[in-house]
Amino acid sequence: MYATMTYTGGVHKHYEMEELIEDLGGFILQKNKAQVDISITIAIPEEDIDKIQQKAKELLGDVEISPLASTEIAVIAPTLAHQHLPHASCDIAEYLRRYGTKTNMIGLARGAGKGISQISKREKDIAEEHDLAVFTLGSFSDCIRTKKFLFEDLDIPVIVTGSPTDLTAEELSCEAYVPGFGRIPYRLKRGENIRALRNLAETAEDLIKKQRELLEEDPLIVSPVIVKIMLEREIPEIAEIVAPMPIVSQLDGVRVKLPYEEYHEKIANVEVEGYRLGDVADIKQSKVFDGSTLIKIYPESSII
């Protein structure tokens, strides 16, 4: 299994860290430069974590485990209107990114109103392309209870946020409920807001950890990290994509921002660890980004 970590330090001699990652059989998932500082998200074998920590200390940098790296989380609000998306949803999405995940903001087309709110089949399909969904609801217990049909039949883990403290995950039919949020008309900068954000991040980490443990019981045929690297090597058009993060890693696959109709056959023919990718993964058109390609890797049990 690979561990995901984030190294932050100076640009000077950062190539030594990159060389060590390559020597250990690890991969660079993302690299960001900001003047004289650099941040590198990496995936390395778990048994080599101490070597990365030692090198980071030598380079006077910092390294920490990023439990949400190589995941994609949907932050879903009833609507994108000012009634439901003042600041809390945006701050939640931004805060979770600090832990290494990729977040997508989603506003439901018919989510407003306790009695008339809806979620369409397409919106459910979009949500289920992610590893985890965070539903940012409001300030009234009765309203949140009434709207639980929006997420109770999703096939991915769901975290619900809201203002009331008297709600439980069991009565909402979700994996976790995190209080301390709601329709907040200001940035989440106060002490109680920061504590709520930390609680949310820790809850997301716990749910992602449980999903990883389930994957260990029936591992994927090939690692999404390896798939990402091989796609970048074999399909040069990926380097020409101007959108941020042209390939997004997930727990059980990757999303490639290349048109499905034009590239799905080329993607299927990429060889990964001796396998033709089309034989060990379901390759289909993504609904999150029009024309993108979603790759979901089969578990080992599917071969038997």
Side-chain angles (χ1 to χ4, degrees):
M1 289 293 293
Y2 287 90
T4 51
M5 309 180 73
T6 299
Y7 166 77
T8 53
V11 173
H12 179 62
K13 288 190 175 182
H14 78 276
Y15 63 87
E16 294 186 10
M17 176 62 78
E18 295 181 357
E19 290 174 353
L20 176 61
I21 294 167
E22 184 177 352
D23 292 341
L24 296 174
F27 305 95
I28 295 176
L29 302 177
Q30 188 176 354
K31 180 166 66 173
N32 297 312
K33 289 183 181 180
Q35 296 181 349
V36 297
D37 295 323
I38 192 166
S39 173
I40 306 175
T41 303
I42 63 176
I44 59 166
E46 291 182 343
E47 60 269 19
D48 294 324
I49 290 178
D50 58 334
K51 297 177 182 177
I52 295 294
Q53 292 172 333
Q54 183 177 349
K55 174 57 77 171
K57 185 177 181 181
E58 178 185 329
L59 297 177
L60 303 180
D62 295 316
V63 65
E64 57 184 10
I65 300 293
S66 298
L68 295 182
S70 294
T71 65
E72 192 172 22
I73 295 177
V75 179
I76 304 174
T79 68
L80 291 178
H82 68 278
Q83 295 97 328
H84 295 98
L85 197 74
H87 295 88
S89 298
C90 295
D91 283 344
I92 286 172
E94 178 59 32
Y95 191 83
L96 290 176
R97 291 190 189 109
R98 301 180 187 180
Y99 289 77
T101 188
K102 167 72 166 63
T103 57
N104 292 319
M105 297 287 297
I106 299 173
L108 303 181
R110 297 289 186 271
K114 182 176 69 172
I116 61 174
S117 59
Q118 302 174 34
I119 182 170
S120 68
K121 174 65 165 57
R122 176 177 171 80
E123 288 168 340
K124 285 184 179 180
D125 291 342
I126 290 174
E128 289 176 347
E129 287 190 13
H130 296 77
D131 298 307
L132 178 72
V134 178
F135 275 77
T136 59
L137 299 185
S139 302
F140 303 102
S141 299
D142 183 59
C143 181
I144 296 175
R145 290 190 184 98
T146 302
K147 288 187 176 182
K148 70 178 183 178
F149 71 90
L150 295 175
F151 48 78
E152 62 183 350
D153 60 346
L154 289 181
D155 292 332
I156 61 172
V158 172
I159 300 175
V160 177
T161 70
S163 179
T165 59
D166 60 335
L167 296 175
T168 64
E170 290 75 18
E171 64 179 310
L172 295 179
S173 303
C174 61
E175 277 66 34
Y177 172 74
V178 180
F181 297 95
R183 289 161 63 173
I184 301 173
Y186 54 82
R187 294 294 305 278
L188 302 181
K189 293 184 176 180
R190 301 177 182 178
E192 65 271 18
N193 303 141
I194 299 301
R195 287 189 289 272
L197 286 170
R198 288 175 181 167
N199 185 19
L200 175 60
E202 291 171 359
T203 302
E205 289 176 9
D206 291 340
L207 291 177
I208 292 296
K209 181 180 179 181
K210 291 178 181 178
Q211 288 180 271
R212 293 188 195 275
E213 291 172 351
L214 289 175
L215 285 176
E216 289 179 3
E217 296 177 4
D218 187 10
L220 302 177
I221 299 173
V222 292
S223 168
V225 175
I226 304 294
V227 172
K228 176 180 183 295
I229 299 301
M230 294 309 300
L231 288 173
E232 291 173 336
R233 290 179 182 176
E234 300 297 326
I235 304 180
E237 291 87 346
I238 291 176
E240 301 173 4
I241 299 175
V242 296
M245 298 187 70
I247 300 183
V248 180
S249 298
Q250 300 179 335
L251 288 177
D252 59 351
V254 297
R255 188 197 315 281
V256 187
K257 295 178 182 177
L258 285 174
Y260 172 81
E261 294 294 338
E262 185 177 352
Y263 286 95
H264 73 277
E265 291 186 4
K266 192 172 183 178
I267 291 172
N269 289 325
V270 171
E271 185 173 322
V272 182
E273 296 187 324
Y275 296 99
R276 177 180 173 272
L277 186 56
D279 296 333
V280 297
D282 182 19
I283 302 175
K284 56 187 177 181
Q285 183 165 332
S286 171
K287 295 183 180 180
V288 175
F289 300 100
D290 290 339
S292 295
T293 304
L294 182 67
I295 304 169
K296 290 293 187 179
I297 304 167
Y298 300 139
E300 291 182 352
S301 60
S302 64
I303 301 179
I304 302 174

